[in-house]
Amino acid sequence: MELVQAMKSRKSIRGYNAVPVPKETLAQVLEIARNAPSANNTQPWEFIILGGAVLDELKRTLEEKFVSRTQPHPDFELGRPPTGVYRSRQVELGKSLFQLMDIARDDKEKRKQWVLKMIRFFDAPNAIIIATDTEVSDHLSIFAIGAISQNIALAAVNLGLGTCIENVVVLYPEVIRQIAGIPESKKIVIGMAIGYPDWDFPANKVQVSHEPLANLTSWHGV
Ligand SMILES: Cc1cc2nc3c(=O)[nH]c(=O)nc-3n(C[C@H](O)[C@H](O)[C@H](O)COP(=O)(O)O)c2cc1C
């Protein structure tokens, strides 16, 4: 697929076919994606690729943590909730998704089920967790992992796959550490659901509005 077309058609996918992504295809995505920029070429990323019974166990354990209201303790502080225009964009996204999913504002049970689905990587057959090293500064690793996440998302589109970057799946990093044998010297940064999109799944029809260029730019000397 042409690059611009992949960039324009990429969107977060929240409903997947159950069919697992072949290992070679996942490797192909990461092989393409690893050509990402990082400060001083530090490449502060490591991939933990999950599927099958191991991913099922992770999904189950994360769900249990959420249902038992365990206090989240991600390796990277998620910070305070957005306010102002940032909150407005968040609310707009939530409203669109809930409308498509037929979840009423006051329907606590359906809302909870939606969050649980999110925690289960939207029931994707595979997931990629990206970790960094405690040796590396937060600024450096977060920026680089942002870049490589987008590369993964675009490489996935190229192969007919969909992804959803998810911070909700890294709220209990010790679970990932334990299941995948990740040492304390590594910090869990972000997770991604990956699989073949179910285009009939209502939430996949969401049309997220991206701010027009004119609202994002100031031009100087050009
Ligand atoms: C750091 C980060 C964390 C995210 N976490 C979640 C998440 O936990 N759940 C979710 O449904 N989407 C999550 N997303 C996806 C965003 O909601 C999505 O990128 C945004 O709404 C723009 O939509 P688009 O990706 O379809 O263009 C996350 C995206 C990023 C970059």
Side-chain angles (χ1 to χ4, degrees):
M1 185 186 280
E2 200 238 326
L3 176 65
V4 175
Q5 197 191 337
M7 288 171 81
K8 287 191 167 179
S9 63
R10 184 219 55 85
K11 67 191 295 192
S12 294
I13 295 299
R14 297 182 173 90
Y16 294 86
N17 294 324
V19 50
V21 183
K23 187 173 179 179
E24 308 74 54
T25 308
L26 291 167
Q28 207 180 340
V29 167
L30 295 168
E31 186 59 41
I32 298 166
R34 71 186 175 84
N35 182 28
S38 60
N40 301 318
N41 196 27
T42 41
Q43 305 177 49
W45 45 61
E46 286 176 35
F47 310 115
I48 298 130
I49 304 119
L50 303 169
V54 180
L55 181 56
D56 288 344
E57 189 188 343
L58 176 60
K59 289 173 178 173
R60 208 167 35 243
T61 316
L62 290 177
E63 261 191 306
E64 278 165 19
K65 293 271 180 194
F66 180 79
V67 170
S68 63
R69 295 174 184 271
T70 308
Q71 185 66 30
H73 42 266
D75 285 345
F76 286 87
E77 279 301 318
L78 297 185
R80 58 196 158 80
T83 55
V85 66
Y86 310 106
R87 172 73 184 146
S88 307
R89 290 176 188 148
Q90 184 185 32
V91 169
E92 190 193 326
L93 171 70
K95 275 188 184 166
S96 305
L97 287 173
F98 281 6
Q99 199 171 16
L100 285 161
M101 294 303 299
D102 195 24
I103 302 174
R105 201 181 146 83
D106 54 359
D107 192 334
K108 286 193 180 146
E109 183 50 33
K110 273 193 176 177
R111 286 174 79 115
K112 180 181 157 193
Q113 290 308 323
W114 177 254
V115 175
L116 289 177
K117 187 176 175 66
M118 192 179 334
I119 283 175
R120 295 194 310 267
F121 295 83
F122 292 109
D123 297 321
N126 293 97
I128 299 171
I129 306 288
I130 310 181
T132 192
D133 198 294
T134 47
E135 290 287 308
V136 183
S137 83
D138 287 359
H139 168 80
L140 205 146
S141 56
I142 294 282
F143 190 99
I145 288 174
I148 205 156
S149 304
Q150 173 73 342
N151 266 12
I152 292 172
L154 294 176
V157 168
N158 183 54
L159 295 170
L161 292 161
T163 56
C164 188
I165 298 174
E166 288 192 69
N167 50 21
V168 80
V169 296
V170 297
L171 295 178
Y172 307 105
E174 78 284 5
V175 178
I176 298 170
R177 272 205 189 87
Q178 198 221 327
I179 285 175
I182 311 295
E184 290 288 332
S185 60
K186 306 292 174 189
K187 292 210 271 186
I188 309 292
V189 183
I190 199 79
M192 293 177 81
I194 185 164
Y196 296 100
D198 172 1
W199 291 114
D200 292 328
F201 187 74
N204 287 344
K205 301 187 192 309
V206 72
Q207 293 294 341
V208 172
S209 71
H210 288 273
E211 207 62 25
L213 188 61
N215 296 353
L216 307 171
T217 44
S218 71
W219 302 76
H220 311 272
V222 279

